[in-house]
Amino acid sequence: MKFELIAPCYFGAESTAAFEVRRLGAQDVQVTDGRIAFSGDESMIAAANLNLRCAERVLILLRRFPANTFDELFDGVFSVPWEELLLADAAFPVKGSSLSSTLSSVPACQSIVKKAVVERLKKGHKTLFLPETGVQYKIRFSIRKNQAELMLDTSGDGLHKRGYRRNATGAPIKETLAAAIADLGRVRRDTAVADPFCGSGTLVIEAAQKAMNIAPGLRRRFAAEQYSFCPPAVWAAQREKALSEIRKDAAFEGCGFDIDPAAVELAAHNAKLAGVGERCRFAVADAADFAPAPEQTVLTNPPYGERLGDLSEAARLAGVLGARLAAHPVKGAYVITADADFEKHFGKKASRRRKLYNGMIPCQVYMYY
């Protein structure tokens, strides 16, 4: 069966996510702000969930239709052949959003969507009772300018939840965002990466997994593994394929430093869980002593106002980083921060900048070649 699929991603990470989707062999790839649309069969659903580094989740687009009234919303949802997707005992929670639309009440829209699915399933399965005790299918809707999109979530937990980060330090960078920065930093199989503010190690770990071509979803499970139309054999085949493509001979080396011993211990633990413990080392060190080698690429997320709670200290740390990199030039430095005056504090204009969002915080990746 061929599906229309949508992979939401961070604003600014679309080109990276689109490249990943195309590399998997997806068809009809279309790029818009914050999402990649593509098509494929059950194998593509499994491959996308297992392999996409920068996407937040993989959704099946079931229907797109105008929804100016509750009747139009009900009819559009009811027109989907739900009985072909959901078994009679399926659980199906509904979540959604509405923006710049006549139907502005999200709870009311949720209720209408739920009712329409119930009525269609009753008709399709020829039953008067839906126990909702079976496999859970998460239904999502989005209404933008009176146009509704109806989707089925195949991921479950967001794809940033790789399964290796059991705990994290304060305000950690998301794994999907870290992967996008590793891509901007041109991390390859022989890259040497350093991070002077490593925290729980996410940037170094994501760079290592990219260099070794370790599929980010290998250590977790996905919602669609329980779906009746995505047989277990499909998932087993894609997992086996991903395992066979790991580059164990990659010459990648990663090192991370942090002033907090607990963060360093956690980073080493996370790297081991991620399968890259032998390629990454972490040590307690002050950024003032950071002395990277010329062949290293620096990927870092220094503490800034929203995370640190002290803008003056964030500015001081940016200055420290600038001074250390001036004294020890590297192959490239890629710094993500929300500090609008970072270049002034760092002491040098960036070669290039890229706007990205860290959660809801607008940031820039300052790139120094």
Side-chain angles (χ1 to χ4, degrees):
M1 188 185 298
K2 187 176 182 180
F3 299 94
E4 288 187 65
L5 303 170
I6 293 174
C9 63
Y10 277 107
F11 287 103
E14 295 92 346
S15 60
T16 300
F19 175 81
E20 292 180 329
V21 165
R22 290 189 178 100
R23 193 178 67 171
L24 293 175
Q27 299 175 325
D28 311 314
V29 179
Q30 294 181 314
V31 182
T32 52
D33 287 348
R35 62 193 249 174
I36 313 300
F38 56 105
S39 63
D41 60 8
E42 296 87 348
S43 292
M44 181 54 62
I45 292 174
N49 276 294
L50 283 163
N51 292 284
L52 294 183
R53 299 184 190 280
C54 299
E56 292 304 304
R57 59 183 64 249
V58 179
L59 306 165
I60 299 173
L61 177 63
L62 299 172
R63 193 75 86 235
R64 185 182 285 118
F65 56 91
N68 296 282
T69 66
F70 285 128
D71 284 344
E72 285 186 339
L73 180 61
F74 182 94
D75 291 344
V77 177
F78 187 84
S79 70
V80 175
W82 293 101
E83 68 276 8
E84 296 177 9
L85 300 170
L86 279 64
L87 299 178
D89 66 345
F92 45 99
V94 176
K95 287 181 65 176
S97 61
S98 177
L99 182 68
S100 304
S101 297
T102 306
L103 303 180
S104 59
S105 171
V106 172
C109 291
Q110 284 177 308
S111 179
I112 293 296
V113 171
K114 182 80 174 184
K115 183 180 179 181
V117 177
V118 166
E119 294 305 317
R120 177 69 193 227
L121 284 175
K122 283 181 177 179
K123 181 181 178 182
H125 287 300
K126 297 180 173 56
T127 181
L128 296 175
F129 179 61
L130 300 172
E132 292 200 53
T133 55
V135 171
Q136 186 178 90
Y137 293 73
K138 292 184 178 180
I139 298 170
R140 293 175 177 263
F141 68 87
S142 170
I143 306 176
R144 297 287 183 273
K145 297 181 179 179
N146 298 318
Q147 290 294 312
E149 286 186 336
L150 194 60
M151 295 160 285
L152 187 62
D153 185 358
T154 71
S155 300
D157 288 337
L159 295 184
H160 70 278
K161 294 189 176 181
R162 315 291 208 211
Y164 66 74
R165 199 164 75 178
R166 300 297 184 222
N167 296 290
T169 53
I173 191 170
K174 265 191 177 182
E175 293 88 335
T176 43
L177 182 57
I181 294 168
D183 186 73
L184 288 174
R186 299 182 177 91
V187 169
R188 301 291 184 266
R189 61 194 301 164
D190 59 349
T191 302
V193 163
D195 182 356
F197 303 101
C198 72
S200 55
T202 308
L203 274 164
V204 176
I205 291 169
E206 288 295 321
Q209 287 202 328
K210 176 177 170 58
M212 297 179 68
N213 200 39
I214 297 175
L218 275 174
R219 286 168 172 78
R220 56 161 289 181
R221 295 290 173 176
F222 304 94
E225 291 187 66
Q226 301 297 315
Y227 291 177
S228 57
F229 56 87
C230 274
V234 168
W235 292 90
Q238 289 301 322
R239 277 200 165 84
E240 186 176 339
K241 183 174 185 291
L243 284 168
S244 71
E245 292 174 349
I246 293 175
R247 294 191 293 244
K248 295 180 180 179
D249 60 341
F252 175 89
E253 292 182 0
C255 56
F257 307 97
D258 202 282
I259 201 167
D260 181 3
V264 169
E265 183 180 352
L266 180 59
H269 177 69
N270 289 342
K272 187 175 180 181
L273 285 177
V276 295
E278 294 182 0
R279 305 303 181 95
C280 305
R281 60 183 178 85
F282 299 93
V284 178
D286 192 315
D289 300 320
F290 185 50
E295 68 275 7
Q296 286 182 315
T297 296
V298 173
L299 307 178
T300 193
N301 177 32
Y304 47 80
E306 286 84 346
R307 299 169 61 225
L308 196 64
D310 186 338
L311 292 172
S312 62
E313 177 63 6
R316 185 190 71 81
L317 289 173
V320 167
L321 179 62
R324 298 311 296 169
L325 291 179
H328 301 274
V330 292
K331 185 177 181 180
Y334 301 79
V335 186
I336 182 169
T337 178
D339 180 4
D341 294 320
F342 173 78
E343 289 168 310
K344 182 175 80 173
H345 300 145
F346 183 82
K348 186 179 180 181
K349 279 277 191 183
S351 306
R352 192 178 170 198
R353 297 189 301 179
R354 172 71 71 88
K355 190 172 184 178
L356 286 173
Y357 277 78
N358 188 1
M360 296 303 292
I361 303 171
C363 297
Q364 296 270 0
V365 179
Y366 294 88
M367 299 178 252
Y368 295 88
Y369 304 142

